[in-house]
Amino acid sequence: AQSVTQLGSHVSVSEGALVLLRCNYSSSVPPYLFWYVQYPNQGLQLLLKYTSAATLVKGINGFEAEFKKSETSFHLTKPSAHMSDAAEYFCAVSDRTGTASKLTFGTGTRLQVTL
Amino acid sequence: DAGITQSPRHKVTETGTPVTLRCHQTENHRYMYWYRQDPGHGLRLIHYSYGVKDTDKGEVSDGYSVSRSKTEDFLLTLESATSSQTSVYFCAISPGTGTGAFFGQGTRLTVV
């Protein structure tokens, strides 16, 4: 069974600082990997996805993530945080077998951005 | 939000009563999913559908049933609601594997 670990349930950064949100997965075969963002009282919005093309994936709102097979990681970064980035972020995986996109989620990381 | 509508958006119900949540999509995607979101657990898959009348269980399916009689509609039923089913429920859709999924706005269900 797949699993996802997000280190740090809360992360606080200053506006303009680097954002680094960590995600590690456990799977015998590298899965598809995703990052989602959730703003208060809203649904989840797909930020970016890794499906086996380039290991460095660029997403919306200036975020990017790098797939590292040797570390089983898919950390999310943004060079300069903005106040509007404050939200909860979820890492998710789905396996490559079958045709459905069933997602297994991490427990989420709440990002706080301070002045 | 990717043509997904969940109804109702909020509901308070009493323990032991049946509850049905509805998800409607306008994208004609093959796959539809129901997740629940609880603090400390992220989102967990309840049931999913891979076509009309074709459904399967997810990680936390006990106490829930689903039906899909049309491509665009996916219903989640709590036959006899319990307080442990107080949660935020999200419907999602996807065209297939590797695409991720697109989520609705959620339904906040409180069982008292």
Side-chain angles (χ1 to χ4, degrees), chain A residues 6-115:
Chain A
Q6 291 185 241
L7 289 176
S9 58
H10 290 85
V11 170
S12 181
V13 301
S14 300
E15 190 173 37
L18 171 72
V19 175
L20 170 61
L21 304 181
R22 300 178 185 274
C23 173
N24 289 86
Y25 67 90
S26 173
S27 175
S28 56
V29 176
Y32 296 122
L33 292 150
F34 308 88
W35 275 100
Y36 284 85
V37 60
Q38 184 180 34
Y39 298 102
N41 299 313
Q42 294 191 24
L44 279 72
Q45 181 181 7
L46 182 63
L47 271 178
L48 49 79
K49 62 182 179 182
Y50 168 76
T51 58
S52 78
T55 56
L56 182 62
V57 181
K58 294 187 183 300
I60 62 172
N61 301 339
F63 283 93
E64 61 184 34
E66 185 173 10
F67 171 69
K68 292 187 176 180
K69 183 179 178 180
S70 61
E71 299 177 7
T72 60
S73 69
F74 190 57
H75 301 331
L76 182 71
T77 60
K78 182 174 181 178
S80 177
H82 192 273
M83 296 295 290
S84 61
D85 295 326
E88 189 153 24
Y89 293 80
F90 292 94
C91 182
V93 302
S94 68
D95 68 34
R96 293 175 181 268
T97 59
T99 56
S101 193
K102 295 181 291 179
L103 297 170
T104 300
F105 284 86
T107 52
T109 297
R110 185 168 298 280
L111 177 66
Q112 180 182 18
V113 182
T114 59
L115 289 171

Side-chain angles (χ1 to χ4, degrees), chain B residues 21-39:
Chain B
L21 308 183
R22 179 176 182 252
C23 178
H24 178 79
Q25 63 148 330
T26 58
E27 304 296 318
N28 200 35
H29 284 338
R30 177 182 178 187
Y31 299 95
M32 298 185 75
Y33 314 82
W34 279 107
Y35 290 87
R36 62 178 287 174
Q37 182 177 23
D38 303 289

Side-chain angles (χ1 to χ4, degrees), chain B residues 36-76:
Chain B
R36 62 178 287 174
Q37 182 177 23
D38 303 289
H41 290 277
L43 282 83
R44 293 176 291 175
L45 181 64
I46 304 171
H47 282 280
Y48 70 102
S49 169
Y50 47 97
V52 173
K53 299 190 189 305
D54 293 323
T55 64
D56 206 349
K57 296 179 180 180
E59 177 188 356
V60 290
S61 60
D62 286 350
Y64 302 94
S65 62
V66 290
S67 65
R68 191 172 179 195
S69 59
K70 296 186 290 185
T71 298
E72 58 266 36
D73 291 327
F74 192 34
L75 303 181
L76 176 71

